[in-house]
Amino acid sequence: MNMSVAPPDATLTARASRVATIAARHADDVDTAGRFPIEAIDALRAERLLGIQVPLDLGGESASIAQIADICCILGQSCSATAMIFAMHHIKASSLVEHGEGSKWHMAFMRRVAAEQLLLASATTEGGIGGNMRNSICAIEVDGPWCTLEKDATVISYGTHADAILITSRANAAAAPADQVMTVFLKDQYTLERTHIWDTLGMRGTCSDGFLFKGKAPSEQIFSKPFAEIAAQSMLATSHLLWSGVWYGIASDAVLRAQAFVRSAARKSPGVAPPGAIRLAEVSSKLQTVKSNVIAGLKAYESTKSDPDKLMSMGFAIAMNNVKICSSETILEIVNHAMLICGIMGYKNGTPYSLGRHLRDVHSAQLMISNDRILSNSANLLLVQKQDTSLSI
């Protein structure tokens, strides 16, 4: 007898959930071995989630940042390394989508990203400048139709696994450090010589080694818009929002584990409130604070993204900075709170309530980009910008 089989749910949430199931299966090994989560990334490609931000007319799905942040959250509950790689890929994709439509080459490249499910990496940090991505020492050299670049990139997350790298540099040899451009280099257009090994406390599966980058490509692959505008109009917001989506996902899973622990204790002693019940209520409140913070940030971005002047305004920069600060600081409190609830069972590895990986991973949040640097930037802006005290979205 022939039986028709219903197609699997094709919604973004369902596709992300199927990837998350695979990512969860390998998350502990990815963390322990410090290896790239190849199984989850293959699943992202199979579900065609790497090209969803590309516009419909270029073969993508025109997914919004809010939809992508939700996928970051889903993945973050299973494997933070997979979620962070997905987030960083789409941060770079946002630069293409928002600033590449006027370029024939970049539009064709977007078609390739969607069709071939290419993985994009970023090289914005550099030896000698710390974590300040808005300054460069290296300079791109343009010679007619070709450009060449050499950069001491102290961190290129999943660099050896990427299909293309979007890299920053000074616009030319005479340019000031802040006069930057961003260029797309395809995998066969550059070499990477490893200079630093990514052996870290957490986020180990992002494989964020340091490299000496050497590339040569057609000069049409340089974005025509200055990197200062790209950073302000897309990278600032998408970085803080998508990272926050990842962190919220990690914290959510920690709270779910704590809730499961309390429920298990309650079943063993019917009619008696478990010791961790009050703490669970407290941590639920903190988790809701992060969720509300991220949702408010997403709404602010969606209502502002069509206005380049507002995107580059001091008020918007402060708002996005605050999203990142709140998310990155609060999630550490949440996971630590969940650890107290689960006690030794959360502290031990290999239990249903283990939280060691979560705790180590969320420590990265305050360092990407350093909260001290962000607070310093906001402080300077607040010297001239009035604080927004309204409740309007």
Side-chain angles (χ1 to χ4, degrees):
M1 182 174 64
N2 292 327
M3 297 182 64
S4 60
V5 179
D9 192 335
T11 64
L12 292 177
T13 299
R15 288 152 64 187
S17 296
R18 290 195 289 268
V19 176
T21 299
I22 295 170
R25 196 177 302 148
H26 301 279
D28 285 336
D29 182 58
V30 165
D31 172 65
T32 302
R35 68 170 180 86
F36 186 69
I38 186 64
E39 299 88 355
I41 302 305
D42 284 348
L44 285 170
R45 287 194 168 101
E47 295 288 352
R48 305 197 65 76
L49 289 170
L50 296 182
I52 57 174
Q53 192 178 168
V54 173
L56 280 167
D57 61 349
L58 296 177
E61 299 180 45
S62 294
S64 68
I65 293 300
Q67 290 173 308
I68 294 167
D70 188 46
I71 296 174
C72 290
C73 168
I74 292 169
L75 297 175
Q77 293 178 58
S78 296
C79 173
S80 55
T82 299
M84 186 56 70
I85 291 167
F86 179 80
M88 290 190 285
H89 162 84
H90 276 287
I91 291 165
K92 305 322 295 178
S94 74
S95 296
L96 276 173
V97 171
E98 299 299 330
H99 310 288
E101 287 202 328
S103 160
K104 183 178 179 180
W105 187 90
H106 291 90
M107 289 178 70
F109 181 60
M110 278 188 269
R111 289 186 184 277
R112 284 195 61 192
V113 171
E116 302 173 36
Q117 294 294 294
L118 302 181
L119 181 63
L120 310 179
S122 171
T124 56
T125 59
E126 185 175 4
I129 63 167
N132 186 2
M133 73 173 184
R134 284 294 293 109
N135 280 282
S136 291
I137 296 173
C138 66
I140 198 158
E141 298 180 14
V142 178
D143 184 8
W146 294 96
C147 65
T148 56
L149 178 63
E150 182 172 321
K151 179 171 184 172
D152 177 14
T154 51
V155 172
I156 305 181
S157 296
Y158 54 96
T160 57
H161 301 274
D163 298 302
I165 294 176
L166 281 68
I167 189 167
T168 53
S169 65
R170 286 186 294 142
N172 54 68
D179 181 6
Q180 298 168 288
V181 293
M182 186 160 70
T183 308
V184 181
F185 282 88
L186 307 179
K187 195 175 187 69
D188 61 357
Q189 296 173 336
Y190 60 81
T191 61
L192 296 174
E193 179 185 333
R194 186 178 281 105
T195 56
H196 301 284
I197 301 296
W198 184 251
D199 185 7
T200 53
L201 181 71
M203 286 294 178
R204 294 173 54 78
T206 62
C207 300
S208 303
D209 296 330
F211 298 95
L212 178 62
F213 174 100
K214 295 180 181 180
K216 180 178 180 180
S219 53
E220 63 182 342
Q221 295 176 206
I222 303 172
F223 282 86
S224 59
K225 185 172 288 189
F227 180 66
E229 295 183 33
I230 294 174
Q233 294 175 9
S234 63
M235 279 190 63
L236 169 73
T238 55
S239 294
H240 293 342
L241 293 171
L242 297 186
W243 286 346
S244 291
V246 174
W247 299 328
Y248 174 72
I250 299 170
S252 295
D253 189 59
V255 172
L256 289 174
R257 293 185 183 210
Q259 184 179 31
F261 181 86
V262 171
R263 285 177 171 173
S264 177
R267 286 193 294 269
K268 294 175 183 177
S269 303
V272 179
I278 297 298
R279 285 191 183 274
L280 180 63
E282 291 174 343
V283 79
S284 174
S285 174
K286 292 178 182 291
L287 188 66
Q288 183 173 321
T289 297
V290 176
K291 180 177 181 176
S292 299
N293 173 57
V294 178
I295 289 174
L298 290 166
K299 288 182 176 179
Y301 177 65
E302 291 296 340
S303 65
T304 305
K305 64 178 294 187
S306 60
D307 189 333
D309 291 335
K310 287 185 178 180
L311 284 172
M312 297 188 71
S313 70
M314 288 185 286
F316 182 72
I318 292 168
M320 292 299 105
N321 286 348
N322 288 343
V323 170
K324 195 272 183 179
I325 294 295
C326 176
S327 298
S328 62
E329 292 186 348
T330 309
I331 60 163
L332 192 53
E333 297 177 24
I334 291 170
V335 178
N336 188 60
H337 223 71
M339 180 78 78
L340 293 174
I341 293 170
C342 296
I344 193 66
M345 296 303 288
Y347 190 70
K348 290 175 65 177
N349 293 324
T351 82
Y353 315 108
S354 297
L355 291 167
R357 172 163 55 85
H358 299 66
L359 191 61
R360 288 185 289 103
D361 287 342
V362 298
H363 269 286
S364 71
Q366 297 183 66
L367 310 176
M368 301 175 52
I369 301 161
S370 168
N371 280 8
D372 287 348
R373 183 185 298 279
I374 293 173
L375 287 169
S376 178
N377 290 341
S378 290
N380 290 330
L381 294 174
L382 285 166
L383 292 175
V384 294
Q385 175 68 22
K386 183 180 179 181
Q387 177 70 47
D388 181 5
T389 57
S390 71
L391 280 174
S392 59
I393 299 299

